Amino acid sequence: MTQQKIYLVGAGMAGWEGFSAKTLEIIGKAAVMIGHQRHLDIFPDFGGTKMVLGDLSELLDFLQKTDQRVVILSSGDPTFFGISRFLLRNLPKDRIEIFTNVTSMQYAFSRIKEPWDDAIFVSVHGRGMHAAVDKIVAAEKACVLTDKVNTPAAIAAELIERGAEGYEAWLCEDLGMPAEKFTRSDLRGLLESKPSDLNILILIKTYEPNLIQYPLIGIDDEEFQTSKKLITKQEVRAVTLAKLQLQDDLILWDIGAGSCSVSIEASNLMPNGRIFAVERNQQCVGFINENLKKFCARNVKLIEAQAPEGLEDLPDPDRVFIGGAGGQLEEIIDAVDKRLKQDGIIVLNAVTLDTLTKAVEFLEDHGYTVEATCVNIAKTRRLTEYKLFEAQNPVYVIAAWKENV
């Protein structure tokens, strides 16, 4: 059986007038037209068979068996969060021809008079929301395709929970239709919104005019709200972050977060990553919330728990920093070892020889290669008209990883 080509045609925002002469000719010669009902309604006089797009497995079965000329209508650019990914994965590429059109996202940006070349585009349509929100908080401008579950209100609630309220929001509904509507708001204004099912959410990050620009790493210790004993100090923090060998899109657990200083600087180094700061001390929890807000660490999520409790619901980590164990070091290392991804790294800071000895022993018992670095810091302080060095207590930075066999 000789199989005809499948024509994947994007519908624009202006009905049939938005199609080129070439695509109208293709549609006119097709025997079967497939698409959502709103797309099929654009061509009331189509002479062939119309099929409403439904279950993709049924669609694939039909396309694999048919010898008819088929045109599939989709929104805008079929290769942009569209059906083309499914078809190209399951059918020979040389059997498919694609004709793109203006996307709803492009149209939305033009209507609100906002450039879109610096935006990121994410879809939560039929997908989980959390991965998309991870990308949104790291971006200056985002355009989101929503659905009935992952609504603009749900996305706004998740952003607010993460402390990321600084967005101007545009809710764009029923684009290209008579009921087309654009609503400008902030995130809290979205919480009670009940938009049309056909909507796009555009988020544009705004800044307070007096926002201080802090360095990526090396933030002064005094800038953090903290109990003085529960902070990884500036110089030790730098060594700790180096030993973690962070990359942009990793998952980091910060266990015994204290002031959250390590998580906050790590978030600057991996804006597309996900960081979970685990802390049980209620005073520290209050400090952490203040610091997360102050430093706009939007991809850091506070977990109020005493490790190893609270770790089971977190995604598997690429990196783990243990700044405090609360007397449960062996239990924490055991829990981390069961979840750490391949090529993962554990970094643990110790201030006593007892913790150093136990940590090395526990890690080696679990099959890790261990490297311990002793960080001795002495800083100048003024004594009358002279300066002298004042030594700080040494900190042992322990890095551990498993060799690939």
Side-chain angles (χ1 to χ4, degrees):
M1 179 181 69
T2 302
Q3 291 185 309
Q4 297 276 356
K5 280 189 175 294
I6 299 167
Y7 296 93
L8 187 50
V9 177
M13 308 304 299
W16 68 269
E17 294 177 349
F19 293 91
S20 67
K22 174 68 172 177
T23 56
L24 290 174
E25 179 184 351
I26 288 170
I27 292 169
K29 292 179 179 179
V32 180
M33 176 185 288
I34 302 173
H36 293 297
Q37 191 62 55
R38 69 180 185 276
H39 293 142
L40 299 179
D41 291 343
I42 297 174
F43 298 94
D45 300 325
F46 179 71
T49 302
K50 289 184 176 181
M51 294 173 54
V52 176
L53 181 61
D55 185 87
L56 292 181
S57 61
E58 294 179 3
L59 171 65
L60 180 62
D61 184 62
F62 170 77
L63 295 175
Q64 289 172 333
K65 294 177 179 178
T66 187
D67 60 354
Q68 295 178 291
R69 189 182 180 102
V70 178
V71 62
I72 301 175
L73 300 179
S74 74
S75 298
D77 184 350
T79 64
F80 191 71
F81 295 119
I83 195 174
S84 69
R85 187 182 302 276
F86 173 79
L87 296 179
L88 293 169
R89 188 168 57 235
N90 291 284
L91 294 170
K93 286 188 177 182
D94 58 3
R95 196 181 162 206
I96 300 172
E97 286 199 28
I98 302 174
F99 296 86
T100 65
N101 214 316
V102 175
T103 69
S104 55
M105 291 182 169
Q106 289 174 284
Y107 178 80
F109 273 108
S110 69
R111 295 287 281 114
I112 68 170
K113 301 180 178 65
E114 181 72 30
W116 60 274
D117 58 324
D118 56 345
I120 67 161
F121 298 87
V122 295
S123 175
V124 294
H125 190 84
R127 300 170 168 87
M129 179 173 63
H130 296 295
V133 173
D134 290 338
K135 295 179 181 178
I136 292 169
V137 297
E140 300 297 314
K141 189 183 297 181
C143 187
V144 189
L145 290 175
T146 68
D147 65 14
K148 294 181 180 179
V149 176
N150 301 306
T151 62
I155 294 168
E158 177 69 15
L159 287 167
I160 290 170
E161 182 182 346
R162 297 196 190 189
E165 290 194 46
Y167 288 92
E168 174 186 297
W170 283 92
L171 187 54
C172 313
E173 305 172 60
D174 295 322
L175 300 181
M177 301 179 183
E180 179 178 279
K181 182 180 179 182
F182 296 86
T183 304
R184 184 180 180 180
S185 177
D186 57 18
L187 290 185
R188 293 194 175 274
L190 293 175
L191 293 177
E192 302 300 323
S193 65
K194 296 181 180 178
S196 162
D197 290 341
L198 297 176
N199 72 78
I200 287 175
L201 178 62
I202 294 175
L203 298 168
I204 303 169
K205 189 179 291 184
T206 56
Y207 293 93
E208 296 295 334
N210 61 347
L211 182 65
I212 298 172
Q213 298 298 317
Y214 293 99
L216 295 181
I217 65 171
I219 300 171
D220 288 338
D221 295 338
E222 291 74 19
E223 295 289 348
F224 293 97
Q225 295 293 320
T226 183
S227 167
K228 294 301 182 183
K229 294 181 180 179
L230 296 175
I231 183 172
T232 303
K233 294 185 180 294
Q234 183 187 62
E235 295 81 7
V236 177
R237 200 160 60 238
V239 175
T240 299
L241 291 168
K243 294 299 182 181
L244 282 167
Q245 298 183 24
L246 299 176
Q247 299 174 32
D248 188 25
D249 57 353
L250 301 183
I251 293 173
L252 168 67
W253 291 359
D254 180 359
I255 298 174
S259 66
C260 216
S261 63
V262 170
S263 285
I264 287 168
E265 292 198 347
S267 75
N268 294 332
L269 299 175
M270 41 188 283
N272 292 308
R274 301 174 67 187
I275 302 169
F276 298 90
V278 183
E279 179 56 62
R280 66 179 175 89
N281 183 298
Q282 286 304 301
Q283 183 185 37
C284 290
V285 166
F287 289 146
I288 288 172
N289 283 319
E290 292 181 40
N291 289 330
L292 292 179
K293 184 175 181 179
K294 176 178 181 177
F295 296 104
C296 301
R298 296 181 174 91
N299 59 339
V300 179
K301 186 169 185 178
L302 172 61
I303 307 297
E304 295 185 41
Q306 180 172 358
E309 296 176 8
L311 301 179
E312 59 272 6
D313 295 329
L314 303 184
D316 291 347
D318 301 282
R319 302 288 187 268
V320 176
F321 171 61
I322 304 174
Q328 299 192 74
L329 181 59
E330 185 172 8
E331 292 83 356
I332 290 172
I333 290 175
D334 185 59
V336 168
D337 179 59
K338 294 175 181 177
R339 302 283 302 283
L340 188 67
K341 293 181 184 178
Q342 185 177 6
D343 299 323
I345 297 174
I346 301 171
V347 173
L348 187 152
N349 286 0
V351 295
T352 69
L353 288 173
D354 296 311
T355 303
L356 170 64
T357 303
K358 289 178 181 178
V360 172
E361 178 183 342
F362 294 158
L363 289 164
E364 288 182 341
D365 285 347
H366 283 81
Y368 288 88
T369 299
V370 178
E371 174 195 78
T373 302
C374 182
V375 181
N376 289 288
I377 302 297
K379 301 179 74 169
T380 57
R381 72 175 179 89
R382 184 174 294 278
L383 182 66
T384 63
E385 71 270 26
Y386 302 102
K387 291 181 181 178
L388 57 80
F389 277 98
E390 183 174 72
Q392 299 178 2
N393 288 330
V395 177
Y396 307 100
V397 180
I398 305 155
W401 63 93
K402 286 188 176 179
E403 301 286 356
N404 291 323
V405 180

